[in-house]
Amino acid sequence: MTIDLHRLDSIDDCDEFIEALDDYVEDLVGEFVDTTEGKAYLAKYPNMDDSVGSWIYHLLYLGYNYESVTLPQMNATQVEAIVTKLFPRKIMLVEPDDANSTIPELLAFWRFLQRVYKPTHGAKVVKLLEKLQPKFKSIMNDSSNFGIGKSFLSEAMSTGLNLEPDSFTGSNQSIDIQSIANLINTLGGKSSIDPSTQPSKSPRSLFDTFRQELQASMWESSENTAQTISPDAEALLTQTVITETCPGTILKDFQTLLKFIGEKGIAVSANNHSLPMKSLGELNQLLSEPVAIDLKRPIQKYYPPIDGLYLILRTLGLGQIRTQGKKYLLILDPNLLSIWNDFNPTERYCTLLEAWLIRGNTEILDGKNDRINSGSKCFQSWSTISSKGQKIPNYEEQRTFSYFPGLYNLALLKLFGFIQIDSGKPAAGKGWRIKSVKKLPFGDALISTLFDAYKKMGMYSEAEEDPSLPISEFKLTLQPYFTEWKQVFQLPANETRSGVYVFKVSLQKCWRQIAISSDLTLDILGDTIRASVDFDDDHMDLFTYKNQLGRSIQAHHPYSSSKPQSDSIEIGDLPLEIGSSIEYLFDFGDNWKFDLQLEQILAEDTRQKYVEILDSFGTAPEQYPNYEDE
């Protein structure tokens, strides 16, 4: 017995846990494969030699993130939830038979744990896995168990369609239009693509057509979400007086969040900049209706109202991320806060509403860009909520809300006064318990009013690309009912910062320090990066960085048909702070990923058109390790 199974137990920060998990699993698997159980498993599944431990990693990662449990405390109920609910929803298999090795790996691993480390619930977990083994493949490949994202990808893969736009770069790639039409129809929509009249299209054009068709099909299926607003509903909206606690408590709770962050700001996690675990309980108790949970190490997402309020704070630009040494701080922008404080309650309510429904995206919360924003999720799921009240008998039924519209969106629907939620006592080791959900007349009236306006916008806000645009897209629709909405909220345009930018550029185990003046463009930086590792420039590339709101912006190769392109973006125009990161992807086939971190900005250095490799560490990998001259 050489490994401390409890060494991850005291880690409160999710980002720190994920960072430590790699070494933890590597140590465990290293010991496991040399045991009787490990050798027997690999003898039966020799093709898994290179990937042994992957299912163990998934079990521990999902266990921490969704069940708030580490390995020593895992019980059979939690393992069953992870394996039968989360695995099918979250993990994509290349082939159905790839599920054959899952339970054998976990079984062998838990038998090893039971023999050597004797975890509290080890014997029961082993019995559970033995019971699941005969039916796991069917569970893993049953599309009714898939999450929305996995269903989407699964259908795309079945038609041979690659959904990544960055893959559409080669002139020799071709995708059958019929497969796109089939995909739309399979997902429940109605495709207007006529293969007989459009025998061929470029990959990029085909991809764009696909996205438009899919989006249209999703909205066609939700037409019953809203009906023509009735005179009674119009009267209800007109008579509603916006206050701190009416029609919901959103204004009061948002002010609570602002006060909690304060003038000095608050330290946040490194990767997703989430609020610290130690402060969540205190903030939760300050809200109008605290959420009851029974979790030992709850991260931000387990407090859905806080998660939703944080989303809006960042979406508005009021909450900005700054670095302080190696720490990250969430601070309130003083200029924007001054503007906010000058707003009346109606202006605040409408501003928060638009920021949430049009600009809200889960990327701000978990770093993963979601093509479906908060408004789309809420509008499309509105018809599933009963006006008479809908009882939620158990956590299993509650999971539906976790995925669509998402618990944070459900919490915001309540905070804005759209729905009523009755909460219950959480079960041991569980999060927020929702006993019933009921749509309210005010929510029905406002959804009906906004639905057509939302569709006319094409479910898209130009603020996705330019966050400095004012929050006013709902104003024309809402002002007849909320006449006090006069001022609009606007994030200042990003200012150009002159000087010399110094980046640390890392690739695998080597790094280079590169200085570049603010008047040069990203494509020049890409040229310098490739030169620093002696790579040729015969492939496309892509820069990805975050804007002021925490949303990803991609700068494409100058020869790409996508916008913006890297030769049009100057370094000084990037919305970067010291410590900010940029990803540079070169060669979409070999996927060379470089991590750039901004170390300093020499504002006093006025050199123009200047670029230099200042320092270097480590030998760069060969660009073509198997290349042989012919």
Side-chain angles (χ1 to χ4, degrees), residues 602-617:
L602 306 175
E604 71 281 358
D605 194 330
T606 59
R607 281 178 289 182
Q608 295 184 336
K609 308 300 180 184
Y610 161 72
V611 61
E612 183 178 355
I613 301 169
L614 301 179
D615 200 0
S616 166
F617 173 83

Side-chain angles (χ1 to χ4, degrees), residues 27-72:
D27 291 345
L28 275 174
V29 173
E31 182 176 353
F32 163 64
V33 295
D34 287 332
T35 64
T36 303
E37 295 85 357
K39 291 177 180 177
Y41 166 69
L42 288 176
K44 188 171 182 179
Y45 299 92
N47 60 317
M48 296 301 295
D49 185 56
D50 292 335
S51 59
V52 63
S54 60
W55 290 106
I56 297 169
Y57 180 92
H58 290 315
L59 180 75
L60 302 189
Y61 172 81
L62 295 173
Y64 183 87
N65 274 278
Y66 289 88
E67 297 292 331
S68 290
V69 65
T70 55
L71 180 61

